[in-house]
Amino acid sequence: MNESGSGAYFVRRRSRGGGSGKGKRAAGLLIAVLLVLTAAICLLVVFLPKITGGTAAVGAFGGKTFYFLSTGSYSVRDTALLAAQETTSRGGAGYIYNDGEYRIIAAVYSSEADARALASVNDGATYFGIDVSVPKDADENSVAAVAYLTGEWFDVVGRTADELQRGNITEAQAEHATASACARLCAVAESAGMPNLKSALYAAGEYSCPDKTAPLAYIRYVQVRAIAETVRALHTAG
């Protein structure tokens, strides 16, 4: 068997004998057809973006819902701060999300099932959804930046936190991976045309773990903060 770059396996079939002339001609014809199709696809890749302009890119991101795992909600800030510190000490984000109540957020998930499962095994925990969507008149670069944040960036940071929690990577490796992803996020944000969004993404891309905070808790904090601040920026976009 051969292992491809994507991790899939393919079995090579052995031919029985040398094969007939017709078989060889058929194989040659098939290869020729495949070459023609490949050339056509390459032409489409080159020219289709020019034909469609920015419409396809803007329409590529149709919005996404994330789920915040909350360990509690409070109306007094001092009480919320103490609760946030307790959540952080247990490896959670400890982010304070204010929607009229100070909600202490431990983590963010792209799967409602994951958030629901974790809420069910943590006393007093709940979860709620938060939608990330861009205005219809958003420029292509802003849409691309949000798509990157909610896609590749979110997955990399979340996977890094999970692997660190499982003990599969070291704190140094986890911080390096997260800081690299955040630097990439800032680079993507550079071309965003929406000022509020650009500022939010720059802030989301800041990685500086406090001395007294464990890397696991801070990485989860960075992930939660990025989604929360981006949603706030998109809602206040002019």
Side-chain angles (χ1 to χ4, degrees):
M1 292 188 294
N2 290 335
E3 182 176 357
S4 73
S6 64
Y9 289 89
F10 299 92
V11 179
R12 284 182 178 173
R13 294 181 179 178
R14 295 180 180 178
S15 61
R16 299 178 180 177
S20 65
K22 291 182 179 179
K24 291 181 180 179
R25 286 194 298 273
L29 179 60
L30 177 60
I31 292 173
V33 172
L34 290 175
L35 288 174
V36 172
L37 289 174
T38 301
I41 292 172
C42 291
L43 289 173
L44 285 174
V45 170
V46 172
F47 293 107
L48 188 59
K50 296 180 181 180
I51 297 172
T52 59
T55 303
V58 172
F61 180 76
K64 204 166 186 178
T65 301
F66 292 91
Y67 301 91
F68 282 174
L69 178 67
S70 173
T71 57
S73 60
Y74 308 88
S75 57
V76 178
R77 183 168 179 79
D78 287 346
T79 306
L81 287 170
L82 291 174
Q85 291 174 4
E86 172 64 21
T87 299
T88 299
S89 69
R90 295 167 55 190
Y95 182 89
I96 300 178
Y97 181 83
N98 187 353
D99 63 354
E101 289 284 332
Y102 295 121
R103 298 181 184 271
I104 311 305
I105 309 302
V108 57
Y109 302 94
S110 58
S111 166
E112 183 177 7
D114 290 343
R116 184 190 302 114
L118 287 167
S120 69
V121 297
N122 286 276
D123 292 340
T126 58
Y127 76 93
F128 61 94
I130 182 170
D131 295 326
V132 181
S133 59
V134 294
K136 293 182 179 179
D137 60 348
D139 63 283
E140 182 178 345
N141 290 331
S142 292
V143 176
V146 175
Y148 175 74
L149 169 76
T150 58
E152 181 180 341
W153 183 90
F154 185 88
D155 292 342
V156 167
V157 176
R159 186 163 55 248
T160 298
D162 290 342
E163 290 299 298
L164 176 58
Q165 185 171 10
R166 296 186 184 108
N168 293 333
I169 59 176
T170 66
E171 289 184 338
Q173 290 172 326
E175 288 209 86
H176 176 71
T178 305
S180 298
C182 287
R184 170 59 180 161
L185 178 61
C186 289
V188 171
E190 176 65 29
S191 58
M194 299 170 62
N196 287 350
L197 175 63
K198 179 182 289 190
S199 297
L201 293 177
Y202 278 150
E206 293 178 1
Y207 187 91
S208 181
C209 186
D211 293 339
K212 295 183 179 181
T213 301
L216 175 60
Y218 187 68
I219 291 171
R220 294 203 183 283
Y221 176 88
V222 167
Q223 191 180 31
V224 172
R225 178 187 65 187
I227 298 301
E229 295 301 320
T230 298
V231 169
R232 182 176 291 110
L234 290 170
H235 284 178
T236 57

